[in-house]
Amino acid sequence: MRHNQMNKTTGKSREFHPLAVGYACLIYLFLFLPIFVVILFSFNSSARNIMFEHFTLEWYGRMFQNRQLMEAFWNTILVAFASTLIAVVIGTLCAVGLHKFEFKLKQTINQALYIPIVIPELVFAIAMLVFFTSLNVEMSLFTLIVSHVTFSMPFVVITVRARIAGFDQSIEEAARDLGANEWHTFYRVTLPMILPGVISGGMLALTISLDDVVVSYFTAGLDSTTLPLKILGMVKKGISPDVNALSTLMIIGTVGILFLSTAIQNHLERKQDSRTSSTGMSTPVQSRKASAP
Amino acid sequence: MEEGRKKTIVKLIQVEKSFGQTDVVKKLSLEVGAGEFLTLLGPSGCGKTTTLRMIAGFEQANGGRIELEGVDVANLPPNARNVNTVFQNYALFPHMNVADNVAFGLVEKKVKKPEIKKRVSEMLRLVQLEGMEKRMPSELSGGQKQRVAIARALVNEPKVLLLDEPLGALDLKLRRQMQIELKHLQRRLGITFIYVTHDQEEALTMSDRIAVMNGGMLEQVGTPEEIYNHPRTRFVADFIGESNIMEGVVKETKQGDWQLYMDCGSVLLSQEEGCRPGELHYVCIRPEKLKVSAAPVEGFSIPVQVVEHVFIGSQIRTIVKTTDGKKYKISSPPDGTLLPAESQGFLYWKSGNAVLLPDDEQDGAPLEKGEDAFAIEGGEAGGSLV
């Protein structure tokens, strides 16, 4: 009893009720067991995802020999990095502009940024398809990149703007005052200060682009299939172990990006100030996932 | 002191600035000499910071001319002007350490690296921040941040240093200390300082000259002594230090003298200059110059009742009430003899110790709001006395 009371005042390291611990374990099991099963079966020597026989790396080897799969993989990487780069540049400039200048329709533009995020992804995808067809543009890697930029750019704008919002205007004035022209002020002062926001926006854009299915399904050409589309196609014929192997690698890749981005952000923010803007990383992902059909 | 003012370095000619419908600065003309410490003093919203920002180049004037060393700078961006600014909230670059912050301007000027290093460490020694080169701004105290901001501006050897309430965020003790340090620094370097503050004590302590601003216009420009002893407008008399202000109408007596008739009595005026018969005038007397005696003094006819004495350490404050119910304050050394409270007396002052001001305020609005001169000042310095 006494032990419990003491901990109530500190609010730290409280001993948990066994039921609470069990409940927490169940939740984590629910979240991660399916993922774990995929990873496990990717090392399974049996071709059927029912019983684990013994350990093998065969499927990984087969996966790398699958030319179509590899082509889709490189397409995905190309589209993700190209669209992220473009989205980061446009999005950052947009956020800086929205912060710096006062103009008509500013409020409207601010609100309009949320449209690609909140509308159902399917509607957005069909809109892109109709748009490209009406312009007589043939579906290709190009259309794929353009549509990925369109839906990932708002995420960059929102994360960068969150970072800029708490900014003291006079810091940029100080740079001008000390002899920096506008361009120097931007890359010596403004950009380093908003960099954590730019990076988290970019990581967000990258992960969204990497696993996008719906928009890609409508805007990819015949020779520009991406990995998620390819997997979708393969799954239709039954889940083969090489899909498990591929999924395992994707999990490792995505988690790696997540850790990397968190580490970079923490490093940058610790260097600058104690302001925490890492929330920009999680919330938009959730809202997007929720809107996905 | 005088030779420092030979050369004009900053010149404002009929400068105007408005934001939307509001005129913030109205036809302001001012000259600042090389090596001078000039303070722009005024209540918040009087346009002093805007004036400073126009000199720095952050705001464009709507009218008039701003000259730096004889050159019209209207079209020069801030980075092309040989002035530097110390901001109220320091505005240090949060992603750079102290040395990089100070070196910023030199890097922009493409000064060679060894030279930068030498000048940065010299400057940090000057502001007593040696050994702090590698600290980040977030690891510094307010006073240290302010020193970095000053070093960062001064290292560029500007012709003029603009300071926008740089000590506003510091506590009183540190502020007093920094006031003296800044003044010493300015004397040593011989750089022109234009200093913006709303703190009249700070202005009196540090400045060679003070420009008192109100409502976007200059009320008076002069040395601290001139401003304090010879305020030229009622606003200045009221804003700088404490003042007793009485109002009355000047009339010529049968003997040909000038007499000021107030509701509470009358005074024979010793100097005629600036008197306009039949018009409203104000008499401003500092509390330490105002006296009360038991017997009437020749030329003065202002009967008062002593309300109370307040001991405030170095001085005794006496509050007196005139027949029209207004209260005035007198400060006197604690060793003098005092009329007891509740007793009757007569106000007087030595000739030349009071300032007579004609009523040339445009609308007089700020003057009518208080019951007496006291109430206007109550919030600022002598709040405890009322």
Side-chain angles (χ1 to χ4, degrees):
Chain A
M1 268 305 272
R2 197 199 289 163
H3 183 69
N4 259 345
Q5 271 176 345
M6 187 194 73
N7 284 322
K8 230 177 244 172
T9 54
T10 59
K12 274 183 188 172
S13 70
R14 201 153 63 92
E15 259 177 47
F16 291 106
H17 195 276
L19 269 181
V21 177
Y23 177 68
C25 286
L26 270 179
I27 285 182
Y28 279 95
L29 212 61
F30 176 75
L31 280 177
F32 293 119
L33 194 62
I35 295 172
F36 177 73
V37 169
V38 167
I39 295 172
L40 183 74
F41 279 117
S42 74
F43 298 109
N44 188 3
S45 61
S46 159
R48 303 182 61 202
N49 289 325
I50 297 166
M51 288 289 290
F52 192 85
E53 286 177 4
H54 53 83
F55 181 86
T56 178
L57 287 173
E58 185 198 344
W59 308 114
Y60 286 87
R62 240 198 240 187
M63 181 194 79
F64 283 113
Q65 279 158 16
N66 186 336
R67 261 191 50 215
Q68 282 186 325
L69 207 57
M70 281 299 106
E71 202 178 298
F73 171 76
W74 288 116
N75 277 345
T76 308
I77 295 292
L78 178 72
V79 170
F81 279 89
S83 68
T84 299
L85 192 70
I86 298 169
V88 162
V89 172
I90 299 177
T92 304
L93 292 179
C94 175
V96 171
L98 282 173
H99 174 72
K100 245 186 179 169
F101 302 107
E102 288 300 327
F103 48 89
K104 278 184 192 171
L105 296 177
K106 178 170 170 170
Q107 210 47 43
T108 318
I109 290 174
N110 265 326
Q111 300 298 322
L113 277 172
Y114 289 94
I115 293 174
I117 298 175
V118 294
I119 62 165
E121 211 182 356
L122 193 62
V123 175
F124 181 79
I126 291 168
M128 289 309 288
L129 178 69
V130 172
F131 173 70
F132 287 129
T133 350
S134 67
L135 289 178
N136 270 333
V137 181
E138 209 169 299
M139 297 306 158
S140 63
L141 277 178
F142 171 74
T143 54
L144 203 53
I145 291 171
V146 169
S147 44
H148 280 216
V149 168
T150 316
F151 68 64
S152 58
M153 199 268 281
F155 291 99
V156 179
V157 180
I158 287 163
T159 46
V160 174
R161 215 177 40 186
R163 178 81 194 164
I164 284 188
F167 245 44
D168 181 0
Q169 192 74 45
S170 59
I171 291 177
E172 283 181 347
E173 285 181 351
R176 296 299 307 276
D177 187 71
L178 292 165
N181 58 29
E182 290 188 35
W183 168 237
H184 278 205
T185 301
F186 179 75
Y187 89 74
R188 287 191 69 192
V189 175
T190 314
L191 189 59
M193 283 172 66
I194 61 175
L195 201 57
V198 174
I199 289 175
S200 67
M203 292 296 177
L204 209 54
L206 192 69
T207 47
I208 295 166
S209 169
L210 274 178
D211 72 349
D212 178 75
V213 174
V214 182
V215 174
S216 303
Y217 186 82
F218 285 89
T219 54
L222 282 176
D223 53 350
S224 56
T225 310
T226 63
L227 208 49
L229 291 184
K230 184 75 195 162
I231 294 174
L232 196 65
M234 288 163 77
V235 166
K236 279 180 186 157
K237 297 173 211 151
I239 298 165
S240 60
D242 48 356
V243 171
N244 287 341
L246 191 62
S247 306
T248 305
L249 288 185
M250 284 176 76
I251 291 165
I252 293 168
T254 321
V255 171
I257 291 174
L258 181 74
F259 277 116
L260 189 71
S261 113
T262 317
I264 293 174
Q265 264 193 74
N266 283 348
H267 174 73
L268 286 174
E269 275 171 15
R270 205 176 310 126
K271 240 178 97 178
Q272 286 184 20
D273 50 34
S274 51
R275 252 180 341 138
T276 48
S277 69
S278 55
T279 46
M281 188 73 205
S282 56
T283 39
V285 178
Q286 282 158 2
S287 65
R288 176 155 184 97
K289 294 288 180 206
S291 73
Chain B
M1 291 243 340
E2 285 302 316
E3 84 271 25
R5 247 185 262 161
K6 273 191 305 204
K7 206 178 122 212
T8 300
I9 194 149
V10 179
K11 198 170 186 178
L12 306 182
I13 306 153
Q14 301 277 305
V15 173
E16 290 177 293
K17 177 72 188 175
S18 54
F19 294 112
Q21 297 292 314
T22 335
D23 294 332
V24 183
V25 177
K26 300 168 195 162
K27 291 203 183 297
L28 186 139
S29 295
L30 181 67
E31 287 188 20
V32 188
E36 191 178 17
F37 195 127
L38 180 111
T39 300
L40 289 173
L41 175 67
S44 48
C46 71
K48 55 192 192 306
T49 295
T50 308
T51 306
L52 197 78
R53 288 173 60 81
M54 284 193 285
I55 300 173
F58 300 133
E59 306 284 356
Q60 289 287 315
N62 300 127
R65 263 165 80 89
I66 298 176
E67 289 179 4
L68 295 175
E69 297 180 278
V71 181
D72 187 353
V73 292
N75 296 316
L76 289 182
N79 47 312
R81 299 185 183 193
N82 200 358
V83 297
N84 285 115
T85 309
V86 175
F87 294 85
Q88 182 172 15
N89 43 8
Y90 325 124
L92 299 180
F93 307 123
H95 58 290
M96 293 184 185
N97 64 25
V98 169
D100 289 342
N101 260 287
V102 177
F104 191 95
L106 299 178
V107 172
E108 282 301 324
K109 279 186 195 149
K110 299 198 168 64
V111 178
K112 289 208 173 61
K113 268 193 180 163
E115 168 83 3
I116 290 181
K117 214 180 160 193
K118 199 181 116 221
R119 279 168 70 177
V120 166
S121 63
E122 268 172 20
M123 196 43 74
L124 286 177
R125 195 175 325 128
L126 193 69
V127 297
Q128 297 162 28
L129 283 177
E130 297 138 297
M132 299 266 195
E133 282 85 351
K134 294 278 170 272
R135 295 264 190 100
M136 297 306 286
S138 55
E139 300 168 319
L140 300 177
S141 70
Q144 288 169 332
K145 280 183 194 165
Q146 194 51 264
R147 284 161 204 264
V148 176
I150 291 164
R152 183 178 70 175
L154 284 178
V155 78
N156 304 293
E157 295 168 353
K159 283 278 162 21
V160 182
L161 187 69
L162 308 171
L163 302 103
D164 184 9
E165 308 214 14
L167 309 180
L170 305 179
D171 63 64
L172 189 65
K173 205 176 161 192
L174 193 58
R175 204 188 312 159
R176 291 245 164 90
Q177 186 196 333
M178 287 294 288
Q179 283 172 9
I180 295 164
E181 276 182 39
L182 265 180
K183 182 68 198 161
H184 285 172
L185 205 61
Q186 189 262 340
R187 285 229 181 98
R188 224 167 109 188
L189 300 172
I191 294 176
T192 307
F193 275 35
I194 301 182
Y195 192 99
V196 161
T197 185
H198 63 266
D199 182 341
Q200 42 111 356
E201 193 192 310
E202 198 164 280
L204 292 172
T205 316
M206 302 171 79
S207 322
D208 293 330
R209 279 197 306 157
I210 299 173
V212 184
M213 282 184 78
N214 184 32
M217 290 187 292
L218 280 182
E219 291 273 335
Q220 186 175 355
V221 185
T223 64
E225 293 80 11
E226 284 167 9
I227 298 275
Y228 188 83
N229 291 328
H230 305 287
R232 222 178 289 144
T233 65
R234 181 174 166 171
F235 174 82
V236 175
D238 214 15
F239 189 72
I240 313 286
E242 289 176 294
S243 272
N244 294 297
I245 299 177
M246 303 177 193
E247 55 176 77
V249 178
V250 173
K251 284 177 187 156
E252 200 175 352
T253 62
K254 284 170 199 145
Q255 290 82 22
D257 296 320
W258 298 97
Q259 185 102 6
L260 181 74
Y261 290 96
M262 299 170 286
D263 289 346
C264 58
S266 67
V267 188
L268 193 66
L269 298 172
S270 52
Q271 75 265 52
E272 295 88 38
E273 51 180 296
C275 289
R276 294 203 288 253
E279 285 186 25
L280 195 64
H281 286 67
Y282 299 105
V283 180
C284 308
I285 319 112
R286 299 287 178 196
E288 66 270 20
K289 302 283 168 71
L290 190 61
K291 294 184 169 31
V292 58
S293 79
V297 178
E298 200 198 331
F300 293 89
S301 166
I302 312 169
V304 291
Q305 184 186 23
V306 178
V307 178
E308 59 175 340
H309 299 291
V310 184
F311 176 68
I312 50 163
S314 58
Q315 283 179 324
I316 287 180
R317 283 297 171 98
T318 306
I319 313 290
V320 297
K321 196 162 88 180
T322 52
T323 50
D324 58 346
K326 292 185 180 171
K327 287 176 180 169
Y328 298 99
K329 61 205 154 185
I330 301 168
S331 61
S332 46
D335 49 359
T337 50
L338 296 165
L339 288 181
E342 305 295 321
S343 65
Q344 302 294 317
F346 295 91
L347 279 186
Y348 74 101
W349 56 83
K350 274 189 194 154
S351 117
N353 275 349
V355 180
L356 183 72
L357 300 170
D359 177 37
D360 46 19
E361 306 263 343
Q362 307 94 322
D363 48 11
L367 310 174
E368 307 302 327
K369 65 179 178 189
E371 254 284 288
D372 48 31
F374 230 46
I376 298 171
E377 271 202 345
E380 206 208 13
S384 59
L385 289 166
V386 183

